[in-house]
Amino acid sequence: MKRTHTLALLIALVCLCVSLTACSPKEVLKSAILKSTTALGLRQETTDEDEVDNLTYATAGGDVTFPETMDSTASKLVTEVDGDTMYVAFNGIQNRSTDYFVAGSDSLTVTGYATTESTNENFQTFKVALWELSEDKTATSYLIGSTTYYTTDGSCYQYNISGLTPGKRYKIYISYDSTRYYITGGLKVEGLGSEELTTIETENNVQ
C-alpha cells in the first residue's frame, strides 16, 4: 500500500511539472522525474558537474611509436606485441576490440591518441575499457572501473588502469560514441605478461 501511494505521488508531481512549464515535454519529463525521485528519497541529489567529475580522463603525456615491422594501415584494427608492450592502430572506426592478452601484473599503462572529423563538442573523446576472459574461456565480462576517456585532438594521453589479476586474459575495447563520424589513431599498452595474443569467440564477446 505504501508503494502504491509513493507511485501515485510521483505521477502527480510529474503531471504538475508538465502543466506549469512551457519547456519541451522531453526535458520537462526528465527534470520532473529526477526532482520527484529525489524528493521522495529514491535518488540521491547530485548535479551535472558531479556526474562529469565521475568520469576518468587520461592525462596529457607519453608517446606512441609503432614498431618498424608493423603496418599500421593494413586494416581497421592492427595489433603487434613487442616484449611487454602491445601496439594498436585503428583506422576509421567507431568501436573495435583487440585479441586477448595476458596481464603481467595488476595494472596496465595505456597511452593513446586519435583524431576525428567531428566538430561537435560532445564527440571529442573516445573510450578505452578492459574486458576479462573467464577461467573456462566461455564468457567475457567488463572490468568495472576500467573505462578511460581520451581526447581526440591528435595528442598523446596516458592512464594507468588497475584492478587486473596477473596471469588472466584481457582485451582492450575501443569505442567512440558518434554514429556519424569515426576516429583514427593508436594505443600503446604496457604491462603484458606474454607476447602471445589469443583469439577466442565467446557467448558475451564484445566486438
Side-chain angles (χ1 to χ4, degrees), residues 98-102 133 137 169-170 196-200:
T98 67
D99 291 334
Y100 290 96
F101 57 85
V102 176
L133 184 65
K137 300 181 181 180
R169 292 190 179 275
Y170 297 85
E196 179 184 2
L197 295 180
T198 306
T199 302
I200 299 175

Side-chain angles (χ1 to χ4, degrees), residues 30-92:
K30 177 181 178 182
S31 178
I33 291 174
L34 292 177
K35 290 179 180 179
S36 300
T37 53
T38 299
L40 293 171
L42 303 177
R43 173 179 174 270
Q44 186 174 7
E45 186 171 6
T46 185
T47 65
D48 291 340
E49 291 182 359
D50 292 334
E51 294 176 2
V52 171
D53 288 342
N54 286 336
L55 303 180
T56 300
Y57 289 87
T59 57
D63 68 273
V64 179
T65 303
F66 299 126
E68 294 182 1
T69 56
M70 180 177 172
D71 183 357
S72 61
T73 61
S75 62
K76 289 287 187 180
L77 186 81
V78 184
T79 58
E80 184 169 319
V81 178
D82 183 9
D84 69 345
T85 302
M86 178 174 65
Y87 295 89
V88 183
F90 46 93
N91 303 285

